[in-house]
Structures are given as structure tokens and as C-alpha cells.
Amino acid sequence: MGKKAKRSGSNIFTLFSQKQIQEFKEAFGIIDSDKDGVVSANDLKQAFNQIGRPVTDSEVAGMLGEAPGPINFTQMVTMFAEKMAGAADDDKVILRAFSAFEIDGKIDAEMFRHSLMTWGENFTAQEVDDAFAEFSVDGGSIDAAHLKSLMVAKKEGEE
């Protein structure tokens, strides 16, 4: 009696384009610094150090805690899919996506800029500059609450 594979994970890759899957592979390859096929606490620390944004053990534990188990490539793609689940304008999905970048109410501006220009829609430097002009940035950090308030849809009757 072998374990039954979860049906939901069997076709997770069909949710993304080949280009997106390739971008995920490249990102995973960068994050998996010891090249063992699993993202560990040490891998995350090294990845953040490489972009000049050291993280604490508790920050790393929080990131790893979002996964139900070891983060291999398929698990990472599954996590991306879960974060993107629902309607594109679903406020909860948007807030959860920004929460992935948030540490102590702040979002590292350079990491966020890099992500916007590297993954997903691949925003241009000008588009990112235009967006950043609307954000509340202080000392290299974006105020997460302000950013989230800009990104979620206003409720009926609000101006």
C-alpha cells in the first residue's frame, strides 16, 4: 500500500506558463544556495544576505512556517499558486502576498523593487519608480500598512 499522491499537486504546473515556471526555477536555484533541492533556513539567510538584507532566525522561521513541510521546487510553486488563488482583485490574496515581504510592519524597498522587476509581470524601472512615488518609504523600508491600503479595493461608498 503506497501513499496516494495528492491530486491537487499533480497538475500544479498547468496553472503557470512555461515562462513563469522557468522564472520559478531560476528563483529557486538562487534561493537553494546549497543546491540540495530543498530551501532551508541557511539557504534563506544566504539569499537575503546576497541582496544586502540580512534576516533574523525568527524571520526565517516565519517564512519557512508558511509551508506544510520541506520546501522543494514543487512545494514552492504550490505556495505561489496558493498566494495567487482566487480572483485577481481578492483583497485577502493581495494582503497575503504583501505580507510575505513584510517584517515588523516594513517591506524592504530594494527587495520589493527587485521582485517587481524580476518575477511575474516584470515591471520596468520607470513603472516601479512611478509606483514607489506613491509609497511611504523611509530609510529603505516601505510602510506595509500604507502600501496595503493603496493596493486593496475601496469598499462600496468610500471615496
Side-chain angles (χ1 to χ4, degrees):
M1 290 200 168
K3 282 187 181 178
K4 261 193 162 175
K6 286 184 185 175
R7 289 193 107 259
S8 63
S10 62
N11 64 354
I12 195 77
F13 295 100
T14 62
L15 299 174
F16 300 101
S17 70
Q18 284 300 324
K19 183 175 188 274
Q20 287 173 309
I21 296 296
Q22 188 57 42
E23 288 172 353
F24 293 156
K25 283 181 184 172
E26 289 170 15
F28 187 84
I30 292 167
I31 297 167
D32 182 22
S33 60
D34 62 11
K35 307 300 180 215
D36 67 352
V38 176
V39 173
S40 67
N42 191 47
D43 290 332
L44 283 174
K45 282 184 175 182
Q46 286 189 21
F48 276 90
N49 282 338
Q50 283 184 325
I51 62 164
R53 174 38 183 103
V55 288
T56 65
D57 288 342
S58 63
E59 290 168 338
V60 168
M63 290 178 228
L64 292 174
E66 290 188 29
I71 304 175
N72 60 19
F73 180 67
T74 303
Q75 180 60 50
M76 186 183 86
V77 173
T78 301
M79 290 170 69
F80 281 133
E82 288 171 356
K83 290 207 180 280
M84 295 167 57
D89 62 353
D90 181 354
D91 290 353
K92 283 185 183 171
V93 173
I94 293 168
L95 294 176
R96 278 193 9 215
F98 286 117
S99 294
F101 288 94
E102 182 179 345
I103 298 169
D104 296 329
K106 300 283 181 196
I107 294 173
D108 182 81
E110 282 310 305
M111 174 182 280
F112 193 58
R113 175 184 297 276
H114 176 76
S115 297
L116 290 172
M117 293 172 65
T118 306
W119 296 301
E121 297 292 320
N122 293 72
F123 292 97
T124 66
Q126 184 60 55
E127 288 169 329
V128 173
D129 288 344
D130 291 347
F132 268 55
E134 301 296 318
F135 302 162
S136 177
V137 183
D138 181 35
S141 294
I142 300 168
D143 181 290
H146 181 253
L147 176 63
K148 290 176 185 178
S149 73
L150 291 173
M151 296 299 153
V152 296
K154 299 221 184 296
K155 304 292 179 238
E156 287 291 320
E158 288 183 358
E159 281 298 317

